[in-house]
Amino acid sequence: MNRINSSINTKNKKVKKEEVFKEEKKPKLKKQNIKKEKKHKKHPILRFIRNLLLLLIIITIIIGFLFYKKVETNGGGIKGVLCTLLGQSVEDLANLEKINVLVLGVSEDIETKLTDTIILCSYNPQEQSASMLSIPRDTFVGKNQNTAKGSDKINSLYSKNVNKTVDAVEKITDVKIDYYVVVKTSSLIKIVDILGSVDFDVPIDMDYDDPTQDLHIHLSKGMQKIDGEKAEQLLRFRHNNDGSSYPSEYGDNDYGRMKTQREFMQETLKQTLTLKNAKNAKKIINTIFDNIETNLTKDDCIPYIPVASEFDINSIVSRQLPGESKKCNNLWFFLHDKKETKEIISELF
C-alpha cells in the first residue's frame, strides 16, 4: 500500500510540476503575442504607402498615355509636343496665315536711339517657307539727295516713332508689314541668356574698342557658345581696330555685319525650337515679350510655334537690299536700286 501511495504521490507531483511549468510559460506567450500585435500595427501604414505609390504610378502612366495619344493626334514629334503643351490643335495649325515681321535692333550706347539692325522677315507656315531681307542702316529715305542730312537715314526714324520706320520699309519694298519687333541691346542679352547660349561659328577674329561708346569686342574665330554679352559684341561688329573687316567674299563692314546678324538670328531660331526647349516654350515666350517692344501679342505668336518647330531653318532665303553707297551733301548714304529691289522682293516675298 505504501508503495502504491508513494507512486500516486509521485505522479501527482509530476502533474503539478507540469501545471506549474505550463502556468510559468503562459506569461511568456502573452509577451510574444504582444510583440506580434505591435508588429501587426505597422503593416496598415506600410500598406497605405505602398498602395498610394502604386496609385500614383498608375495615374502617371494613364496621364502619360493620354498625353502621348494627344501628341500623336497633333502630329507627333516636337510639333505634337509643342502643340499639346500650348493647347493648340491640328485644325488651328491648318488655319495659320503668312506673316511679315520687321525686326529692329536698337543701340542704347548713345542718347539718340538708332536702329543698327533692320531686317524684314516673312514666314509662310503652310508652304514652310521663310525669307529675310536686310536693309542697311544708312539707307536714304529723304526727298532730296542734294540737301540730305543725318535725319534722312532710315536708322534715325525710330527715334521719332517706330511706325515711321515701318512706313519707310513698306515704301522701299512694297511689302505690307503685319508686325514689328524692337530688340534693344540690354534686352538681347536677357533673351539669349534665357536660352542658355547659342552655338555659333564666328566668321573672323573680332578685335575692336570704342571707349566713347564703352564698346569692347573681343571674339575669336570659330564655333563657340555665344551668351548675351558675346551676342551684343557679335552683332555690333563692323571692323577691327586696325581697320580690317570681313573678307570681301563675305561682305565687308556693314554688309558683313548684316550677314552675321541674319545667320545668328537663324541659329538662334533653330536652337530655340528644339525638344530640350519645348517644355520651357511658355517661359521663353514670356521672357522675350518682357524684353521687347512690339505690336505682336502672345496670342498672335504662340499658334505659330508648333508648326515652326518642323521648319528647316537652313532653307531660309536671305538677301540684302540691293544698291550702292554714295556721298550726298558730304554724308555717306546707301541708295537702293529700285529695279533690283523689285526683283528680289518678288523672289523673297
Side-chain angles (χ1 to χ4, degrees):
M1 282 295 290
N2 289 335
R3 286 183 183 177
I4 293 169
N5 289 334
S6 177
S7 176
I8 291 170
N9 289 334
T10 303
K11 285 181 182 180
N12 289 336
K13 284 179 183 179
K14 284 183 181 180
V15 170
K16 283 179 182 181
K17 281 183 182 179
E18 286 176 3
E19 287 176 356
V20 170
F21 181 74
K22 284 179 183 179
E23 284 175 3
E24 287 175 354
K25 275 191 172 182
K26 281 180 183 179
K28 290 183 180 178
L29 288 172
K30 283 181 182 178
K31 286 180 183 178
Q32 288 177 357
N33 289 336
I34 290 168
K35 287 181 182 179
K36 286 181 181 179
E37 284 172 10
K38 285 181 180 178
K39 286 182 181 178
H40 282 306
K41 285 180 182 178
K42 292 182 182 180
H43 288 311
I45 299 172
L46 293 172
R47 221 177 292 125
F48 171 76
I49 294 172
R50 185 188 62 194
N51 291 339
L52 181 62
L53 289 173
L54 186 61
L55 181 62
L56 289 173
I57 292 170
I58 292 170
I59 291 172
T60 303
I61 292 171
I62 292 171
I63 292 173
F65 176 75
L66 293 174
F67 181 80
Y68 170 78
K69 293 299 289 183
K70 185 67 176 175
V71 168
E72 289 299 302
T73 302
N74 287 331
I78 296 176
K79 183 180 82 171
V81 171
L82 286 168
C83 193
T84 304
L85 288 173
L86 297 173
Q88 303 297 310
S89 67
V90 176
E91 291 73 22
D92 293 329
L93 303 185
N95 294 322
L96 293 175
E97 297 179 349
K98 175 183 175 181
I99 58 170
N100 298 320
V101 182
L102 183 64
V103 178
L104 304 173
V106 177
S107 170
E108 294 179 287
D109 44 43
I110 56 176
E111 188 176 344
T112 304
K113 300 296 184 288
L114 303 175
T115 47
D116 281 342
T117 304
I118 306 172
I119 304 177
L120 178 57
C121 306
S122 180
Y123 175 56
N124 188 327
Q126 305 308 329
E127 296 180 4
Q128 285 290 39
S129 61
S131 54
M132 301 169 70
L133 178 69
S134 292
I135 298 171
R137 62 180 186 169
D138 294 333
T139 299
F140 179 74
V141 291
K143 294 179 180 179
N144 190 335
Q145 294 179 23
N146 295 322
T147 59
K149 48 189 182 292
S151 58
D152 289 327
K153 293 183 178 184
I154 195 170
N155 71 336
S156 69
L157 296 180
Y158 173 75
S159 63
K160 300 173 185 176
N161 189 305
V162 65
N163 290 316
K164 294 280 187 184
T165 308
V166 173
D167 292 341
V169 174
E170 285 186 334
K171 186 176 180 180
I172 292 169
T173 62
D174 198 30
V175 172
K176 180 71 177 70
I177 297 172
D178 304 305
Y179 306 103
Y180 63 81
V181 175
V182 180
V183 183
K184 296 181 180 178
T185 304
S186 57
S187 301
L188 174 66
I189 294 172
K190 293 178 183 177
I191 291 170
V192 174
D193 282 341
I194 193 66
L195 299 174
S197 63
V198 176
D199 293 325
F200 187 73
D201 190 2
V202 178
I204 62 170
D205 288 331
M206 298 180 177
D207 184 31
Y208 177 77
D209 297 279
D210 185 348
T212 62
Q213 299 185 58
D214 193 24
L215 176 62
H216 303 281
I217 301 173
H218 302 290
L219 296 174
S220 300
K221 178 182 178 181
M223 182 65 72
Q224 57 197 277
K225 291 190 178 298
I226 302 294
D227 58 15
E229 185 181 349
K230 288 182 178 180
E232 180 187 359
Q233 296 179 46
L234 178 73
L235 300 180
R236 293 186 62 190
F237 175 81
R238 295 174 67 194
H239 59 78
N240 290 305
N241 288 323
D242 62 6
S244 62
S245 183
Y246 295 101
S248 56
E249 62 271 17
Y250 187 89
D252 62 357
N253 286 287
D254 265 344
Y255 295 109
R257 183 177 185 227
M258 288 186 291
K259 183 175 181 180
T260 298
Q261 290 170 346
R262 292 195 303 270
E263 292 186 352
F264 184 73
M265 282 182 64
Q266 290 180 32
E267 282 302 316
T268 301
L269 282 170
K270 183 193 297 182
Q271 293 173 46
T272 300
L273 299 170
T274 58
L275 194 57
K276 76 169 186 178
N277 286 323
K279 63 176 184 280
N280 295 320
K282 285 191 175 180
K283 181 181 177 182
I284 291 171
I285 291 169
N286 288 334
T287 301
I288 291 173
F289 271 88
D290 287 342
N291 290 282
I292 61 174
E293 174 191 346
T294 183
N295 59 344
L296 260 171
T297 67
K298 293 177 187 177
D299 290 338
D300 294 324
C301 182
I302 287 175
Y304 286 87
I305 294 175
V307 68
S309 67
E310 289 194 337
F311 177 69
D312 180 7
I313 301 294
N314 296 317
S315 68
I316 292 178
V317 181
S318 62
R319 298 283 187 275
Q320 60 189 38
L321 191 69
E324 62 176 354
S325 295
K326 184 180 177 182
K327 211 168 191 179
C328 303
N329 196 25
N330 292 319
L331 292 173
W332 283 100
F333 288 88
F334 180 84
L335 305 179
H336 76 281
D337 186 303
K338 293 183 179 179
K339 183 181 178 182
E340 286 187 36
T341 297
K342 190 174 181 180
E343 292 173 359
I344 284 180
I345 294 301
S346 177
E347 174 194 347
L348 297 183
F349 301 99

